[in-house]
Amino acid sequence: MPLLSIILPFHNESGGVRALFRRLYPVLGQLEMDYEIICVDDGSSDATFDALQHERQFDQRLKIVRLARNFGKETALTCGLNLARGDAAITLDSDLQHPPEVIAALVAKWREGVELVYAIRANRDTDGKLRRLFSRAFYAVFRTIADIQMPEGAGDFCLLDRKVIDAINALPERNRFMKGLTAWVGFRRGTVPFDVAPRDTGASHWNFFRLVRFAFDGLSGFSTFPLRIWTWCGALVSVGAISYAFYLIYDTLVNGVDVPGYASIMVAILFLGGLQLLSLGIIGEYMARIFVEVKARPLYLIAQRIGFDK
Ligand code: UDP
Ligand code: MG
């Protein structure tokens, strides 16, 4: 029988562990596949790890890896994919926002020969207004300037064939924007719709600033447009400046010296100062990411693993 790896990232989800497995097992039982469940404890500070160990008593196919600290969900998923032995792997959130029942549909698609099956969220009702606005804007910008096509509403709930897992594991970058990486590797793709459920217990780990950083991780990882646009801005401003200079010379020759001009000077200085700081900031964002890549630190550190062969 083929082996399916279920990859679950946990960060302070102790309250939801039992409920999650109660819904997951019936689904896995009906797949006619062997399975392994890889639980990545991403530096939880609550009782998540103990809860997972408790679950392992009932099923030895549940494996636990505890990261040395909180590395973030994308890295936790990367760790899970590195450890997965399955012919296919499914990554899903552990807070029951990704209904385990959808797994059956994902596997069905995979059996038809699709190598990368996205579970697409049919709506964003569970997100706040601001977050919905923000993510719509992000997708719009991403579609326009990125080098890859990412289906809107596709998240980290997906099934990856062994070929895709190997391809993603071979990518060297430290910036693990998983949505982008899966889109980048390509392969035969399909989608399955699903409704996002509200969070069962606990709270979302995202706040506005984390989301902004995440969004820029995504954009910078798959587009150099924010870096290059300043050439065009600079060119445009220069053309404007030269035209204005000619006009000023002409005006001075014809109408004589005209001292008042405080407003236009202030506007020009402030506008250009703002533009320069903005472009410098963008360059800084890219440079910081290059710095991170160059340091070549390990992506994550494993503190403990339970149930793995080696
Ligand atoms: N998560 C993680 N590490 C983190 C933050 C989150 O492993 O640093 C996990 C979390 O336990 C959950 C999933 O990633 O299973 C999604 O997190 P969350 O529900 O906070 O995000 P949202 O659903 O609001 O996008
Ligand atoms: Mg969630």
Side-chain angles (χ1 to χ4, degrees), residues 8-13 20 40-44 48 67 70-77 92-98 121 126-127 131 156 179 196-197 199 201 203-206 210-211:
L8 296 160
F10 292 83
H11 182 63
N12 294 344
E13 303 282 4
L20 169 67
V40 185
D41 176 10
D42 184 17
S44 298
T48 301
L67 300 184
N70 179 231
F71 282 92
K73 177 184 171 185
E74 310 292 306
T75 308
L77 290 178
L92 74 160
D93 285 2
S94 59
D95 57 1
L96 280 178
Q97 288 202 272
H98 296 161
R121 49 197 301 176
T126 56
D127 287 353
R131 185 160 167 183
D156 304 307
K179 275 190 260 249
V196 181
R199 225 174 197 287
T201 53
S204 173
H205 300 93
W206 298 91
R210 236 178 134 164
L211 273 176

Side-chain angles (χ1 to χ4, degrees), residues 175 213 216-217 220 284-293:
N175 177 4
R213 201 178 69 196
F216 203 78
D217 273 342
S220 63
E285 292 283 345
Y286 275 85
M287 216 178 74
R289 283 168 177 78
I290 296 172
F291 184 53
V292 169
E293 299 285 340

Side-chain angles (χ1 to χ4, degrees), residues 27-42:
V27 178
L28 295 180
Q30 290 178 350
L31 286 181
E32 293 175 351
M33 285 179 93
D34 275 337
Y35 63 82
E36 60 171 359
I37 304 174
I38 299 181
C39 303
V40 185
D41 176 10
D42 184 17

Side-chain angles (χ1 to χ4, degrees), residues 13 21 27 31 34 100 157 168 180 223 225 236 252 254 267 281 301:
E13 303 282 4
F21 288 105
V27 178
L31 286 181
D34 275 337
F157 190 9
I168 289 181
S223 172
F225 181 80
L236 209 71
T252 312
V254 175
V267 168
L301 294 172

Side-chain angles (χ1 to χ4, degrees), residues 176-245:
R176 306 308 284 193
F177 185 68
M178 289 304 280
K179 275 190 260 249
L181 296 182
T182 49
W184 186 88
V185 294
F187 292 95
R188 223 178 280 153
R189 288 193 231 169
T191 58
V192 165
F194 81 102
D195 287 315
V196 181
R199 225 174 197 287
D200 220 35
T201 53
S204 173
H205 300 93
W206 298 91
N207 61 34
F208 179 72
F209 292 102
R210 236 178 134 164
L211 273 176
V212 169
R213 201 178 69 196
F214 184 62
F216 203 78
D217 273 342
L219 286 176
S220 63
F222 295 94
S223 172
T224 52
F225 181 80
L227 267 182
R228 288 177 290 123
I229 185 167
W230 303 109
T231 318
W232 294 103
C233 282
L236 209 71
V237 170
S238 303
V239 169
I242 289 170
S243 313
Y244 190 52

Side-chain angles (χ1 to χ4, degrees), residues 56-310:
R56 190 173 144 74
Q57 293 175 345
F58 309 121
D59 189 346
Q60 296 291 306
R61 286 171 286 190
L62 189 150
K63 305 170 179 183
I64 310 168
V65 45
R66 182 166 65 83
L67 300 184
R69 63 170 170 82
N70 179 231
F71 282 92
K73 177 184 171 185
E74 310 292 306
T75 308
L77 290 178
T78 304
C79 171
L81 284 175
N82 285 339
L83 294 170
R85 292 281 158 268
D87 300 297
I90 291 179
T91 57
L92 74 160
D93 285 2
S94 59
D95 57 1
L96 280 178
Q97 288 202 272
H98 296 161
E101 292 73 24
V102 180
I103 289 176
L106 292 175
V107 170
K109 276 264 179 196
W110 176 63
R111 288 192 168 126
E112 289 169 16
V114 182
E115 290 151 326
L116 174 54
V117 194
Y118 287 111
I120 301 272
R121 49 197 301 176
N123 63 63
R124 290 195 171 268
D125 296 349
T126 56
D127 287 353
K129 264 208 184 71
L130 193 71
R131 185 160 167 183
R132 237 181 297 174
L133 195 79
F134 189 78
S135 64
R136 203 166 312 141
F138 170 76
Y139 278 103
V141 173
F142 197 90
R143 250 198 311 276
T144 321
I145 68 171
D147 313 325
I148 53 169
Q149 284 309 312
M150 201 163 64
E152 177 150 11
D156 304 307
F157 190 9
C158 58
L159 179 147
L160 308 96
D161 183 79
R162 173 46 55 188
K163 277 174 261 177
V164 182
I165 303 170
D166 288 341
I168 289 181
N169 285 344
L171 295 177
E173 61 234 78
R174 247 125 277 278
N175 177 4
R176 306 308 284 193
F177 185 68
M178 289 304 280
K179 275 190 260 249
L181 296 182
T182 49
W184 186 88
V185 294
F187 292 95
R188 223 178 280 153
R189 288 193 231 169
T191 58
V192 165
F194 81 102
D195 287 315
V196 181
R199 225 174 197 287
D200 220 35
T201 53
S204 173
H205 300 93
W206 298 91
N207 61 34
F208 179 72
F209 292 102
R210 236 178 134 164
L211 273 176
V212 169
R213 201 178 69 196
F214 184 62
F216 203 78
D217 273 342
L219 286 176
S220 63
F222 295 94
S223 172
T224 52
F225 181 80
L227 267 182
R228 288 177 290 123
I229 185 167
W230 303 109
T231 318
W232 294 103
C233 282
L236 209 71
V237 170
S238 303
V239 169
I242 289 170
S243 313
Y244 190 52
F246 277 119
Y247 165 74
L248 282 184
I249 292 169
Y250 167 83
D251 194 45
T252 312
L253 290 178
V254 175
N255 300 326
V257 182
D258 186 16
V259 175
Y262 175 74
S264 56
I265 289 176
M266 275 315 276
V267 168
I269 290 177
L270 291 178
F271 174 70
L272 287 179
L275 208 64
Q276 281 168 352
L277 283 179
L278 188 65
S279 59
L280 258 181
I282 298 273
I283 294 171
E285 292 283 345
Y286 275 85
M287 216 178 74
R289 283 168 177 78
I290 296 172
F291 184 53
V292 169
E293 299 285 340
V294 164
K295 276 191 289 190
R297 286 195 185 138
L299 261 173
Y300 53 82
L301 294 172
I302 292 177
Q304 190 176 356
R305 35 175 163 189
I306 303 173
F308 294 92
D309 295 340
K310 300 174 270 137

